[in-house]
């Protein structure tokens, strides 16, 4: 589940912003990571945009507003989802149940990311040529990183990287896996439809899509409403590829991951399921503590004004 969602974010340009620390609480030190979310997200975005002073001020303020909204509106929903998962944990689960949980989290991800759309739309008209060149260089660097991890090397080396990644994440919830469970992971990797080159091509399509949109928004007489609509459409194309064949591929990959996760869970020992419940309870406690820090304010982030040209 977490593996697939991380894959979405790692392969998305610009828009894949708040998932790890603001939607799934996916940081090792959850409360510190969440409370640092606006700063961490700012630096993540700045690695692409190389903001100037005016842009930096705007983005920092808007990200703080998004987190305030998320704390009030989304954390209570996440708390309920964590309680639901705790209720499921002692029992066997189906592939459909796991995929349903993934779908729920992806929906919350989209809702959260939509809060950032007005910010990107507002700063887009003020982006300079040098900033777009910086963005291109960052895209190329991240493409190379993906290539090195998931295309380069032998099949055995790539499979071992995936094996370690999956085992580390599963053990963070269940504790140490047994030999038969490790074999389940190996079999999943062996039969998986995962296609590194195909996903890299989709990454590059998203990069070009983002650059095309951002360049278009620098043209004169682009209204704030038009800019917001264009960035929102970019977000939707990032989360759901326009190519039906690629969407079918990702659906198949997701179903395979859900099936493997269901098989692993159903093979878990009573002790491992207790460990899972305790881990989810810990996340729930963290989410409750973070939600309790909410201050009174508007239910939605204030609508941002366009950045000066």
């Amino acid at each position: 589940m977490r593996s697939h969602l991380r894959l979405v974010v790692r392969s998305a340009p610009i828009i894949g912003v708040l998932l790890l620390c603001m939607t799934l609480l996916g940081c090792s030190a959850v409360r510190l990571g969440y409370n640092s979310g606006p700063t961490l997200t700012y630096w993540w975005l700045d690695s692409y945009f190389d903001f100037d002073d005016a842009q930096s001020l705007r983005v920092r303020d808007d990200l703080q507003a998004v987190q305030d909204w998320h704390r009030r509106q989304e954390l209570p929903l996440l708390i309920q989802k964590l309680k639901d998962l705790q209720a499921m944990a002692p029992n066997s689960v189906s592939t459909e149940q796991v995929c349903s949980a993934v779908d729920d989290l992806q929906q919350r991800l989209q809702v959260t990311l939509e809060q950032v759309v007005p910010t990107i739309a507002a700063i887009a008209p003020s982006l300079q040529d040098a900033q777009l060149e910086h963005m291109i260089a960052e895209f190329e660097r991240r493409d190379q990183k993906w290539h090195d991890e998931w295309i380069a090397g032998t099949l055995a080396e790539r499979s071992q990287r995936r094996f370690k990644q999956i085992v580390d994440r599963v053990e963070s919830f269940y504790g140490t896996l047994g030999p038969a469970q490790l074999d389940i992971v190996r079999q999943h990797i062996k039969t998986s439809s995962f296609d590194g080159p195909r996903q890299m091509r989709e990454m590059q399509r998203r990069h070009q899509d983002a650059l095309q949109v951002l360049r278009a928004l620098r043209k004169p007489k682009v209204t704030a409403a038009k800019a917001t609509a264009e960035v929102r459409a970019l977000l939707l194309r990032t989360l759901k590829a326009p190519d039906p064949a690629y969407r079918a591929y990702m659906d198949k990959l997701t179903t395979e991951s859900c099936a493997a996760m269901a098989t692993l869970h159903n093979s878990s020992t009573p002790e491992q399921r207790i460990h899972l419940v305790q881990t989810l309870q810990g996340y729930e406690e963290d989410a409750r503590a973070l939600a309790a820090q909410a201050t009174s304010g508007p239910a939605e982030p204030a609508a941002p004004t366009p950045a000066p040209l």
Side-chain angles (χ1 to χ4, degrees), residues 75-124:
L75 282 184
L77 299 178
L78 180 58
I79 290 167
Q80 183 57 53
K81 173 54 63 177
L82 288 166
K83 290 179 70 66
D84 293 343
L85 292 174
Q86 289 170 51
M88 288 172 57
N91 307 309
S92 295
V93 298
S94 66
T95 298
E96 292 72 21
Q97 284 176 299
V98 177
C99 277
S100 177
V102 171
D103 288 343
D104 288 346
L105 292 172
Q106 288 178 324
Q107 289 172 14
R108 302 328 308 164
L109 163 65
Q110 180 171 337
V111 169
T112 298
L113 296 183
E114 285 174 349
Q115 305 304 313
V116 190
V117 164
T119 302
I120 304 299
I123 67 170

Side-chain angles (χ1 to χ4, degrees), residues 170-207:
V170 173
E171 289 190 338
S172 70
F173 285 94
Y174 289 88
T176 303
L177 298 182
Q181 294 169 322
L182 296 176
D183 285 341
I184 292 172
V185 176
R186 292 189 185 95
Q187 182 63 22
H188 166 64
I189 293 171
K190 183 178 179 180
T191 60
S192 171
S193 300
F194 177 78
D195 185 338
R198 186 174 193 175
Q199 292 190 200
M200 185 169 179
R201 291 193 296 272
E202 171 61 14
M203 286 171 58
Q204 292 170 332
R205 181 204 65 78
R206 291 168 176 173
H207 295 167

Side-chain angles (χ1 to χ4, degrees), residues 12-24:
I14 303 304
I15 305 294
V17 181
L18 302 178
L19 176 58
L20 300 183
C21 290
M22 296 184 70
T23 303
L24 298 186

Side-chain angles (χ1 to χ4, degrees), residues 85-296:
L85 292 174
Q86 289 170 51
M88 288 172 57
N91 307 309
S92 295
V93 298
S94 66
T95 298
E96 292 72 21
Q97 284 176 299
V98 177
C99 277
S100 177
V102 171
D103 288 343
D104 288 346
L105 292 172
Q106 288 178 324
Q107 289 172 14
R108 302 328 308 164
L109 163 65
Q110 180 171 337
V111 169
T112 298
L113 296 183
E114 285 174 349
Q115 305 304 313
V116 190
V117 164
T119 302
I120 304 299
I123 67 170
S126 67
L127 293 174
Q128 303 300 308
D129 289 343
Q131 289 177 294
L132 294 182
E133 290 298 323
H134 179 88
M135 186 178 301
I136 291 171
E138 183 63 17
F139 284 158
E140 291 174 348
R141 188 187 73 80
R142 293 177 188 252
D143 284 348
Q144 186 62 51
K145 186 174 185 293
W146 177 271
H147 181 277
D148 292 344
E149 288 183 346
W150 305 117
I151 299 177
T154 66
L155 175 60
E157 290 170 339
R158 296 194 300 273
S159 296
Q160 182 58 33
R161 282 195 291 272
R162 288 189 67 200
F163 176 80
K164 183 178 186 305
Q165 183 184 74
I166 293 171
V167 170
D168 286 348
R169 290 171 185 168
V170 173
E171 289 190 338
S172 70
F173 285 94
Y174 289 88
T176 303
L177 298 182
Q181 294 169 322
L182 296 176
D183 285 341
I184 292 172
V185 176
R186 292 189 185 95
Q187 182 63 22
H188 166 64
I189 293 171
K190 183 178 179 180
T191 60
S192 171
S193 300
F194 177 78
D195 185 338
R198 186 174 193 175
Q199 292 190 200
M200 185 169 179
R201 291 193 296 272
E202 171 61 14
M203 286 171 58
Q204 292 170 332
R205 181 204 65 78
R206 291 168 176 173
H207 295 167
Q208 292 305 310
D209 193 3
L211 287 166
Q212 182 176 350
V213 168
L214 294 174
R215 288 186 176 119
L217 296 184
R218 298 197 305 162
K219 295 178 180 179
K221 298 182 180 179
V222 175
T223 65
K226 172 69 172 175
T228 300
E230 291 293 333
V231 175
R232 181 169 288 112
L234 173 62
L235 168 62
L236 295 178
R237 292 193 300 273
T238 297
L239 296 176
K240 186 176 181 180
D243 179 12
Y246 188 83
R247 293 201 302 271
Y249 158 74
M250 286 303 297
D251 288 344
K252 182 178 182 182
L253 198 64
T254 301
T255 301
E256 291 173 351
S257 297
C258 293
M261 191 63 247
T263 301
L264 273 172
H265 176 79
N266 295 340
S267 74
S268 60
T269 65
E271 292 76 17
Q272 287 173 324
R273 295 188 187 191
I274 290 172
H275 191 287
L276 172 61
V277 171
Q278 291 172 339
T279 300
L280 293 170
Q281 287 174 340
Y283 280 132
E284 181 190 346
E285 291 170 5
D286 285 327
R288 288 187 182 280
L290 291 165
Q293 297 172 12
T295 58
S296 59

